[in-house]
Amino acid sequence: QKEVEQNSGPLSVPEGAIASLNCTYSDRGSQSFFWYRQYSGKSPELIMSIYSNGDKEDGRFTAQLNKASQYVSLLIRDSQPSDSATYLCAALFSGGYNKLIFGAGTRLAVHP
Amino acid sequence: GAGVSQSPRYKVAKRGQDVALRCDPISGHVSLFWYQQALGQGPEFLTYFQNEAQLDKSGLPSDRFFAERPEGSVSTLKIQRTQQEDSAVYLCASSPFAVNTEAFFGQGTRLTVV
C-alpha cells in the first residue's frame, strides 16, 4: 500500500465545472499537506498547502483536510482548459526531516 | 536566479558511466531536496539537506547514489556506474525554512541510460 493514494484518472470535466481531486494518506502523524500541479514535461508547481482540518480557499482553488479520515481533497471551481494537468498530493512524513511523500498524481482533463 | 536551477536539463549516459547532476537552489534557502520521478509516477524522495548537512538519505536506492552540498548552497547528485533503471527525471527542490515546508522545484534533469 502506497503511503499517499490518488486515483490516477483521467478525470474529465467540462469547462466551467467543478473538478474534485481526492487523496488519502496512511501516516497518521502527518500534519502538513500540499497540492502540486504538473504540466506534461514540466516540474511540479505548488498551488496549495493545508495544515489544519477544514477548508482553505485561494482563488478558484479550495483544499480540504480531514485528519480523522486521513483525507485531503482539492476543488477547482470554474475549471479552465489551462487547468488540464496532473495534480500531485503530498504529505509531510512525520518520521523524518521534511520528507514529502507524493501520490502518483491524478490527471485532469478540462474540455471546452 | 529567481528559481531553482538544474543542469544539465537532459543527459544521456551509457550504462556504466558516472554522471553528476547539479542543483542551484533559491538563494538563502536552508532546505534542499532531491527527488526521482519515473514516467507516470509521483516524485520519490531521495535525500534532504539542511544547509550543508545531509540529514536524510533514506531514499537513495543504492550506494551508487551520492549527494553533497558542501557549502550549503549548490548541490550535486552523483550516480556511479549508471544502470538502465536509473533512467528518470531527477528533481531538486528548495525551501526557505528548516521545518514544515513549502518546497519549490527546479525544472529537473532527464537522465536516459542507454
Side-chain angles (χ1 to χ4, degrees), chain B residues 33-53:
Chain B
F33 313 81
W34 284 98
Y35 284 84
Q36 179 190 60
Q37 188 173 25
L39 192 64
Q41 299 298 315
E44 295 278 347
F45 173 85
L46 293 177
T47 187
Y48 165 66
F49 289 87
Q50 187 180 114
N51 297 309
E52 70 280 1

PDB file of all heavy atoms in Angstrom, chain B residues 33-53:
ATOM      1  N   PHE B  33      16.236  19.392  -1.400  1.00  0.00           N
ATOM      2  CA  PHE B  33      15.766  18.014  -1.572  1.00  0.00           C
ATOM      3  C   PHE B  33      16.104  17.523  -2.971  1.00  0.00           C
ATOM      4  O   PHE B  33      16.066  18.287  -3.922  1.00  0.00           O
ATOM      5  CB  PHE B  33      14.238  17.939  -1.440  1.00  0.00           C
ATOM      6  CG  PHE B  33      13.667  18.671  -0.261  1.00  0.00           C
ATOM      7  CD1 PHE B  33      13.462  20.042  -0.309  1.00  0.00           C
ATOM      8  CD2 PHE B  33      13.308  17.998   0.882  1.00  0.00           C
ATOM      9  CE1 PHE B  33      12.927  20.737   0.767  1.00  0.00           C
ATOM     10  CE2 PHE B  33      12.764  18.670   1.971  1.00  0.00           C
ATOM     11  CZ  PHE B  33      12.576  20.034   1.908  1.00  0.00           C
ATOM     12  N   TRP B  34      16.331  16.245  -3.072  1.00  0.00           N
ATOM     13  CA  TRP B  34      16.410  15.574  -4.364  1.00  0.00           C
ATOM     14  C   TRP B  34      15.297  14.532  -4.431  1.00  0.00           C
ATOM     15  O   TRP B  34      15.080  13.778  -3.468  1.00  0.00           O
ATOM     16  CB  TRP B  34      17.755  14.880  -4.550  1.00  0.00           C
ATOM     17  CG  TRP B  34      18.894  15.790  -4.882  1.00  0.00           C
ATOM     18  CD1 TRP B  34      19.828  16.298  -4.032  1.00  0.00           C
ATOM     19  CD2 TRP B  34      19.245  16.286  -6.182  1.00  0.00           C
ATOM     20  NE1 TRP B  34      20.732  17.082  -4.713  1.00  0.00           N
ATOM     21  CE2 TRP B  34      20.397  17.085  -6.032  1.00  0.00           C
ATOM     22  CE3 TRP B  34      18.704  16.130  -7.469  1.00  0.00           C
ATOM     23  CZ2 TRP B  34      21.023  17.729  -7.111  1.00  0.00           C
ATOM     24  CZ3 TRP B  34      19.316  16.763  -8.530  1.00  0.00           C
ATOM     25  CH2 TRP B  34      20.449  17.556  -8.357  1.00  0.00           C
ATOM     26  N   TYR B  35      14.625  14.496  -5.576  1.00  0.00           N
ATOM     27  CA  TYR B  35      13.578  13.521  -5.839  1.00  0.00           C
ATOM     28  C   TYR B  35      13.856  12.854  -7.183  1.00  0.00           C
ATOM     29  O   TYR B  35      14.467  13.449  -8.073  1.00  0.00           O
ATOM     30  CB  TYR B  35      12.198  14.187  -5.902  1.00  0.00           C
ATOM     31  CG  TYR B  35      11.642  14.567  -4.552  1.00  0.00           C
ATOM     32  CD1 TYR B  35      12.003  15.763  -3.952  1.00  0.00           C
ATOM     33  CD2 TYR B  35      10.768  13.725  -3.879  1.00  0.00           C
ATOM     34  CE1 TYR B  35      11.498  16.112  -2.710  1.00  0.00           C
ATOM     35  CE2 TYR B  35      10.263  14.060  -2.636  1.00  0.00           C
ATOM     36  CZ  TYR B  35      10.631  15.258  -2.063  1.00  0.00           C
ATOM     37  OH  TYR B  35      10.137  15.601  -0.829  1.00  0.00           O
ATOM     38  N   GLN B  36      13.348  11.650  -7.319  1.00  0.00           N
ATOM     39  CA  GLN B  36      13.425  10.913  -8.586  1.00  0.00           C
ATOM     40  C   GLN B  36      12.001  10.679  -9.061  1.00  0.00           C
ATOM     41  O   GLN B  36      11.148  10.228  -8.288  1.00  0.00           O
ATOM     42  CB  GLN B  36      14.130   9.568  -8.368  1.00  0.00           C
ATOM     43  CG  GLN B  36      14.262   8.697  -9.604  1.00  0.00           C
ATOM     44  CD  GLN B  36      14.734   7.295  -9.242  1.00  0.00           C
ATOM     45  OE1 GLN B  36      14.084   6.580  -8.495  1.00  0.00           O
ATOM     46  NE2 GLN B  36      15.891   6.902  -9.770  1.00  0.00           N
ATOM     47  N   GLN B  37      11.727  11.005 -10.320  1.00  0.00           N
ATOM     48  CA  GLN B  37      10.390  10.814 -10.843  1.00  0.00           C
ATOM     49  C   GLN B  37      10.429   9.946 -12.089  1.00  0.00           C
ATOM     50  O   GLN B  37      10.967  10.346 -13.122  1.00  0.00           O
ATOM     51  CB  GLN B  37       9.697  12.140 -11.146  1.00  0.00           C
ATOM     52  CG  GLN B  37       8.226  11.974 -11.518  1.00  0.00           C
ATOM     53  CD  GLN B  37       7.485  13.294 -11.649  1.00  0.00           C
ATOM     54  OE1 GLN B  37       8.075  14.329 -11.922  1.00  0.00           O
ATOM     55  NE2 GLN B  37       6.158  13.269 -11.454  1.00  0.00           N
ATOM     56  N   ALA B  38       9.844   8.766 -11.977  1.00  0.00           N
ATOM     57  CA  ALA B  38       9.708   7.885 -13.129  1.00  0.00           C
ATOM     58  C   ALA B  38       8.465   8.292 -13.907  1.00  0.00           C
ATOM     59  O   ALA B  38       7.553   8.932 -13.370  1.00  0.00           O
ATOM     60  CB  ALA B  38       9.605   6.432 -12.665  1.00  0.00           C
ATOM     61  N   LEU B  39       8.412   7.891 -15.146  1.00  0.00           N
ATOM     62  CA  LEU B  39       7.302   8.266 -16.026  1.00  0.00           C
ATOM     63  C   LEU B  39       5.974   7.797 -15.448  1.00  0.00           C
ATOM     64  O   LEU B  39       5.829   6.636 -15.071  1.00  0.00           O
ATOM     65  CB  LEU B  39       7.528   7.652 -17.410  1.00  0.00           C
ATOM     66  CG  LEU B  39       6.636   8.164 -18.536  1.00  0.00           C
ATOM     67  CD1 LEU B  39       6.908   9.641 -18.784  1.00  0.00           C
ATOM     68  CD2 LEU B  39       6.866   7.362 -19.804  1.00  0.00           C
ATOM     69  N   GLY B  40       5.024   8.725 -15.328  1.00  0.00           N
ATOM     70  CA  GLY B  40       3.694   8.370 -14.850  1.00  0.00           C
ATOM     71  C   GLY B  40       3.577   8.195 -13.352  1.00  0.00           C
ATOM     72  O   GLY B  40       2.526   7.783 -12.856  1.00  0.00           O
ATOM     73  N   GLN B  41       4.646   8.502 -12.630  1.00  0.00           N
ATOM     74  CA  GLN B  41       4.655   8.351 -11.176  1.00  0.00           C
ATOM     75  C   GLN B  41       4.874   9.700 -10.502  1.00  0.00           C
ATOM     76  O   GLN B  41       5.321  10.661 -11.132  1.00  0.00           O
ATOM     77  CB  GLN B  41       5.758   7.385 -10.739  1.00  0.00           C
ATOM     78  CG  GLN B  41       5.605   5.993 -11.302  1.00  0.00           C
ATOM     79  CD  GLN B  41       4.342   5.323 -10.843  1.00  0.00           C
ATOM     80  OE1 GLN B  41       3.995   5.363  -9.653  1.00  0.00           O
ATOM     81  NE2 GLN B  41       3.606   4.717 -11.765  1.00  0.00           N
ATOM     82  N   GLY B  42       4.567   9.754  -9.205  1.00  0.00           N
ATOM     83  CA  GLY B  42       4.893  10.944  -8.442  1.00  0.00           C
ATOM     84  C   GLY B  42       6.368  10.942  -8.080  1.00  0.00           C
ATOM     85  O   GLY B  42       7.043   9.912  -8.171  1.00  0.00           O
ATOM     86  N   PRO B  43       6.892  12.091  -7.679  1.00  0.00           N
ATOM     87  CA  PRO B  43       8.298  12.149  -7.258  1.00  0.00           C
ATOM     88  C   PRO B  43       8.545  11.262  -6.043  1.00  0.00           C
ATOM     89  O   PRO B  43       7.731  11.218  -5.128  1.00  0.00           O
ATOM     90  CB  PRO B  43       8.490  13.624  -6.907  1.00  0.00           C
ATOM     91  CG  PRO B  43       7.422  14.349  -7.662  1.00  0.00           C
ATOM     92  CD  PRO B  43       6.260  13.417  -7.686  1.00  0.00           C
ATOM     93  N   GLU B  44       9.683  10.571  -6.054  1.00  0.00           N
ATOM     94  CA  GLU B  44      10.092   9.728  -4.926  1.00  0.00           C
ATOM     95  C   GLU B  44      11.274  10.399  -4.234  1.00  0.00           C
ATOM     96  O   GLU B  44      12.269  10.743  -4.881  1.00  0.00           O
ATOM     97  CB  GLU B  44      10.504   8.349  -5.421  1.00  0.00           C
ATOM     98  CG  GLU B  44       9.383   7.544  -6.053  1.00  0.00           C
ATOM     99  CD  GLU B  44       8.516   6.836  -5.032  1.00  0.00           C
ATOM    100  OE1 GLU B  44       8.911   6.764  -3.860  1.00  0.00           O
ATOM    101  OE2 GLU B  44       7.446   6.350  -5.419  1.00  0.00           O
ATOM    102  N   PHE B  45      11.164  10.540  -2.916  1.00  0.00           N
ATOM    103  CA  PHE B  45      12.205  11.192  -2.123  1.00  0.00           C
ATOM    104  C   PHE B  45      13.524  10.431  -2.212  1.00  0.00           C
ATOM    105  O   PHE B  45      13.562   9.196  -2.097  1.00  0.00           O
ATOM    106  CB  PHE B  45      11.739  11.258  -0.667  1.00  0.00           C
ATOM    107  CG  PHE B  45      12.776  11.759   0.291  1.00  0.00           C
ATOM    108  CD1 PHE B  45      12.957  13.119   0.490  1.00  0.00           C
ATOM    109  CD2 PHE B  45      13.573  10.874   1.006  1.00  0.00           C
ATOM    110  CE1 PHE B  45      13.899  13.585   1.390  1.00  0.00           C
ATOM    111  CE2 PHE B  45      14.521  11.334   1.900  1.00  0.00           C
ATOM    112  CZ  PHE B  45      14.684  12.696   2.095  1.00  0.00           C
ATOM    113  N   LEU B  46      14.611  11.176  -2.404  1.00  0.00           N
ATOM    114  CA  LEU B  46      15.943  10.581  -2.384  1.00  0.00           C
ATOM    115  C   LEU B  46      16.715  11.021  -1.141  1.00  0.00           C
ATOM    116  O   LEU B  46      17.179  10.187  -0.362  1.00  0.00           O
ATOM    117  CB  LEU B  46      16.730  10.986  -3.630  1.00  0.00           C
ATOM    118  CG  LEU B  46      16.223  10.442  -4.973  1.00  0.00           C
ATOM    119  CD1 LEU B  46      17.083  10.992  -6.112  1.00  0.00           C
ATOM    120  CD2 LEU B  46      16.224   8.928  -4.984  1.00  0.00           C
ATOM    121  N   THR B  47      16.865  12.351  -0.967  1.00  0.00           N
ATOM    122  CA  THR B  47      17.694  12.825   0.126  1.00  0.00           C
ATOM    123  C   THR B  47      17.353  14.270   0.466  1.00  0.00           C
ATOM    124  O   THR B  47      16.762  14.987  -0.346  1.00  0.00           O
ATOM    125  CB  THR B  47      19.188  12.674  -0.220  1.00  0.00           C
ATOM    126  OG1 THR B  47      19.994  12.981   0.916  1.00  0.00           O
ATOM    127  CG2 THR B  47      19.584  13.588  -1.376  1.00  0.00           C
ATOM    128  N   TYR B  48      17.745  14.672   1.682  1.00  0.00           N
ATOM    129  CA  TYR B  48      17.439  16.007   2.183  1.00  0.00           C
ATOM    130  C   TYR B  48      18.659  16.616   2.863  1.00  0.00           C
ATOM    131  O   TYR B  48      19.336  15.959   3.648  1.00  0.00           O
ATOM    132  CB  TYR B  48      16.285  15.926   3.181  1.00  0.00           C
ATOM    133  CG  TYR B  48      16.111  17.164   4.028  1.00  0.00           C
ATOM    134  CD1 TYR B  48      15.734  18.372   3.444  1.00  0.00           C
ATOM    135  CD2 TYR B  48      16.339  17.145   5.407  1.00  0.00           C
ATOM    136  CE1 TYR B  48      15.581  19.513   4.213  1.00  0.00           C
ATOM    137  CE2 TYR B  48      16.184  18.279   6.177  1.00  0.00           C
ATOM    138  CZ  TYR B  48      15.812  19.456   5.580  1.00  0.00           C
ATOM    139  OH  TYR B  48      15.671  20.587   6.337  1.00  0.00           O
ATOM    140  N   PHE B  49      18.910  17.895   2.539  1.00  0.00           N
ATOM    141  CA  PHE B  49      19.968  18.672   3.178  1.00  0.00           C
ATOM    142  C   PHE B  49      19.358  19.846   3.939  1.00  0.00           C
ATOM    143  O   PHE B  49      18.472  20.519   3.439  1.00  0.00           O
ATOM    144  CB  PHE B  49      20.932  19.242   2.142  1.00  0.00           C
ATOM    145  CG  PHE B  49      21.806  18.224   1.485  1.00  0.00           C
ATOM    146  CD1 PHE B  49      21.366  17.536   0.358  1.00  0.00           C
ATOM    147  CD2 PHE B  49      23.078  17.954   1.970  1.00  0.00           C
ATOM    148  CE1 PHE B  49      22.166  16.609  -0.265  1.00  0.00           C
ATOM    149  CE2 PHE B  49      23.889  17.023   1.357  1.00  0.00           C
ATOM    150  CZ  PHE B  49      23.434  16.346   0.229  1.00  0.00           C
ATOM    151  N   GLN B  50      19.902  20.091   5.109  1.00  0.00           N
ATOM    152  CA  GLN B  50      19.631  21.335   5.825  1.00  0.00           C
ATOM    153  C   GLN B  50      20.957  22.065   5.882  1.00  0.00           C
ATOM    154  O   GLN B  50      21.882  21.641   6.563  1.00  0.00           O
ATOM    155  CB  GLN B  50      19.106  21.057   7.220  1.00  0.00           C
ATOM    156  CG  GLN B  50      18.637  22.297   7.961  1.00  0.00           C
ATOM    157  CD  GLN B  50      18.120  21.954   9.348  1.00  0.00           C
ATOM    158  OE1 GLN B  50      18.692  22.339  10.349  1.00  0.00           O
ATOM    159  NE2 GLN B  50      17.035  21.199   9.400  1.00  0.00           N
ATOM    160  N   ASN B  51      21.048  23.156   5.130  1.00  0.00           N
ATOM    161  CA  ASN B  51      22.342  23.800   4.879  1.00  0.00           C
ATOM    162  C   ASN B  51      23.302  22.762   4.295  1.00  0.00           C
ATOM    163  O   ASN B  51      22.943  22.097   3.330  1.00  0.00           O
ATOM    164  CB  ASN B  51      22.857  24.463   6.150  1.00  0.00           C
ATOM    165  CG  ASN B  51      21.938  25.577   6.617  1.00  0.00           C
ATOM    166  OD1 ASN B  51      21.588  26.468   5.832  1.00  0.00           O
ATOM    167  ND2 ASN B  51      21.533  25.547   7.875  1.00  0.00           N
ATOM    168  N   GLU B  52      24.466  22.557   4.881  1.00  0.00           N
ATOM    169  CA  GLU B  52      25.414  21.605   4.294  1.00  0.00           C
ATOM    170  C   GLU B  52      25.238  20.193   4.859  1.00  0.00           C
ATOM    171  O   GLU B  52      25.878  19.253   4.368  1.00  0.00           O
ATOM    172  CB  GLU B  52      26.845  22.085   4.515  1.00  0.00           C
ATOM    173  CG  GLU B  52      27.333  22.032   5.957  1.00  0.00           C
ATOM    174  CD  GLU B  52      26.849  23.199   6.792  1.00  0.00           C
ATOM    175  OE1 GLU B  52      26.103  24.060   6.257  1.00  0.00           O
ATOM    176  OE2 GLU B  52      27.225  23.267   7.976  1.00  0.00           O
ATOM    177  N   ALA B  53      24.380  20.039   5.844  1.00  0.00           N
ATOM    178  CA  ALA B  53      24.228  18.733   6.495  1.00  0.00           C
ATOM    179  C   ALA B  53      23.192  17.867   5.778  1.00  0.00           C
ATOM    180  O   ALA B  53      22.050  18.290   5.576  1.00  0.00           O
ATOM    181  CB  ALA B  53      23.817  18.937   7.952  1.00  0.00           C
TER     182      ALA B  53
END
